[in-house]
Amino acid sequence: MRDKFNYIKQLYEDGYRCIYYDCNEDDVFTIYLKNFDNEKSETVQICDCTEFNQFKSYIDGLSQNSLF
């Protein structure tokens, strides 16, 4: 899947939220998302550190905006 950041961003717009993420020894990031309205879940793997950092900045920005 190309451009996984935009895929994850679309999942966020559809109500999914990141519940956990980790990284294995091969620098593959696994992101676990859940939609609590319909109880569905998605797992996305990202192999690009830059794309993962873009995702991380996106969710950090959402967290900061929800505080105000």
Side-chain angles (χ1 to χ4, degrees):
M1 177 185 309
R2 304 197 85 223
D3 199 7
K4 291 184 181 182
F5 170 71
N6 282 329
Y7 177 70
I8 294 169
K9 195 172 173 183
Q10 182 61 50
L11 288 173
Y12 258 77
E13 291 173 10
D14 292 341
Y16 285 80
R17 296 298 176 256
C18 178
I19 57 173
Y20 183 72
Y21 59 82
D22 63 3
C23 180
N24 68 17
E25 61 275 353
D26 296 324
D27 290 334
V28 174
F29 298 91
T30 304
I31 302 167
Y32 303 89
L33 302 120
K34 181 168 181 150
N35 184 316
F36 291 94
D37 292 332
N38 60 23
E39 296 298 321
K40 292 184 178 179
S41 61
E42 289 276 337
T43 303
V44 180
Q45 290 189 326
I46 296 177
C47 299
D48 180 7
C49 291
T50 303
E51 197 167 22
F52 176 77
N53 289 333
Q54 187 179 18
F55 158 74
K56 184 81 168 75
S57 294
Y58 175 72
I59 62 170
D60 289 346
L62 292 175
S63 298
Q64 290 176 357
N65 289 336
S66 68
L67 296 175
F68 301 105

